Amino acid sequence: MRAIGIGLIGWGTVGCGVIRVLHENAQEIEARLGVPLKLTRVVDMDLERQRPVSVPADMLTKRAEDVLEDPNIQIVVELIGGLGAAKTIICKALDNKKYVVTANKALLAHSGNELFEIARKNGRAIGFEASVAGGIPFIKSLREGLAANRIETLYGILNGTANYILTRMTDDGLSFQAALLEAQQEGFAEADPTLDVEGIDAAHKLAIASAIAFGSKIKFDQVYTEGISNIDPLDIGFGKEFGYELKLLAIARNNDSRLEMRVHPTLIPAGHVLASVKGAYNAVHIHGNAVGNIMLYGLGAGMMPTGSAVVADLIDLARDIMSNVPERVAPLSFLPDRLRPVAIRPMSDISTCYYFRFAAVDRPGVLSKIAGILGKNDISIAAVIQKGREVEGAVPIVMLTHEAVERNVIRALDEMKRLDVVLAPTQLIRIEDR
Ligand code: HSE
C-alpha cells in the first residue's frame, strides 16, 4: 500500500483543522504509519466562503458521491454535523466498505448503536475520538488505557463553550450574551449554540462516554439535562461568597448497580481541581477500581485540537487497514453482545447538596416559614445568608443544604410556590462537594 486515501466531507472549522494537521504534520504521520495519509477530496456545499485553510481547486467538489464512490478513498471523514445528511453519508460510506471518522456527537448519541452495528456488518469501523472532549484523547483512554478497570464514576467539564461563558462571567463580569458571542467568534460553539448553553452537547458526550465506561448501549434519552441560560450573575457571586465556583458538569456514576447520568450547572469548591479549568478547556475525572483517580485535561473545542483528534483516528484506522483488521477495538470497548442492560437511576432518586436562592419579602417570620417547609421535607440547612439588596421587590435569601434527596427538594420548592412571601421562582443549583 503506497498511501491511505482520505475523503473529507465538511470544510468548516474542524475540517480546516484536519487539513492543516495532515499538511503540517505529514512527516510525523508518515514516520509513524509507514505510508502517507493522502487527502484526496474535500466536499462542501459552499466552496466560495473564505476559510483559514485553503484547498487546491481540483480537490474540491460539492458532490458527496465523489468521495463515497472513489475507490482510492479508504476513509471518509464526516464533519458536516447534524442528524440528517450526516447519517446518510456515514451509512453509504460503510455500505461502500469505507472506514469512517466522525466528530458528530449528536448523531452518535442518537444513532450510535445503529451505526456501530452497520459498521460491524460491513466489516468496517467508525472512529469518533473527536466527538467527546475535543483534543483530549478521552475515548482512547477510556476504551483502551482503562480497559482493565471497572469504572465507578466519571465527571467533568465536557462543553468548551459553556465553560468559556461561565469563566468570562465569573472572572471578568461579562454578561451571558457577550460571553456567548465571544465563544462563537472563537469557533467553539455549535452551529446552533442552544446545544451548548442548554447542556445538550455535554449530554450527547456524556451518553457516549457512559456507554464506554459502564458497558451499556448509548442511552442519550436517559441523561438528565439542564443548561446555563438560566444562570444569574447573582448566583455566581453568592456561590463565590460560600467558597464555590459554578461549572456546567456532566456526571455519571454507577451507584448500587443503577446508573446516574446528569448534566447541570453545579457549584464545586473553589479549591477543586475542576474549578481551575478555564475557558474552552475540558477536563474529566475518572475513578476506576484498579487505577484509582485520574484526570484528563485539554482543549475541548476549536479547530486544531479537534483536528488533532480526527487525525489520530485516521492513523488508528489506517493501521487497521494495513494489517487487514476490520475493527481492532469494539466501538464501546465491551463486545457488542456483552453490553449490559443497565438500570438508570431516576433524577428524583439522586442525593446531593443544594443551593437555593429565594426571592422573599423582608419581614419577620419569613425565614422560619421557608425553613419550616425544608425541615418538613427532610432537608437540613447547612448555611444561610440574606443580603438587604432589592431584587424585584424582594430580598435574596440564599441557603445551602446538607445532602438531600431530589424528590424531597422538588416537593419542598413546590410548597414554597404557595407562600405569599416568596415572590418569584426559587433558583436551585446542585452542589458537588464529594
Ligand atoms: N461546541 C462544542 C463545545 C465543540 O463547545 O465544547 C466541541 O464538541
Side-chain angles (χ1 to χ4, degrees), residues 145-158:
L146 296 173
N149 286 262
R150 194 173 63 236
I151 305 294
E152 287 161 3
T153 56
L154 173 164
Y155 64 89
I157 295 165
L158 290 181

Side-chain angles (χ1 to χ4, degrees), residues 184-218:
Q184 284 175 301
Q185 284 162 349
E186 294 284 344
F188 307 141
E190 297 301 305
D192 172 7
T194 318
L195 297 176
D196 297 302
V197 297
E198 296 307 342
I200 303 161
D201 176 78
H204 288 148
K205 295 165 178 169
L206 186 68
I208 297 167
S210 300
I212 300 172
F214 303 109
S216 72
K217 289 201 168 185
I218 299 171

Side-chain angles (χ1 to χ4, degrees), residues 258-272:
R258 287 202 299 168
L259 180 61
E260 195 174 305
M261 290 190 288
R262 48 193 169 104
V263 172
H264 51 69
T266 312
L267 288 166
I268 55 173
H272 191 290

Side-chain angles (χ1 to χ4, degrees), residues 250-291:
I251 302 168
R253 194 173 275 131
N254 200 357
N255 205 344
D256 291 338
S257 303
R258 287 202 299 168
L259 180 61
E260 195 174 305
M261 290 190 288
R262 48 193 169 104
V263 172
H264 51 69
T266 312
L267 288 166
I268 55 173
H272 191 290
V273 64
L274 286 179
S276 63
V277 177
K278 304 281 186 185
Y281 278 87
N282 282 191
V284 197
H285 177 279
I286 304 167
H287 184 87
N289 68 335
V291 73

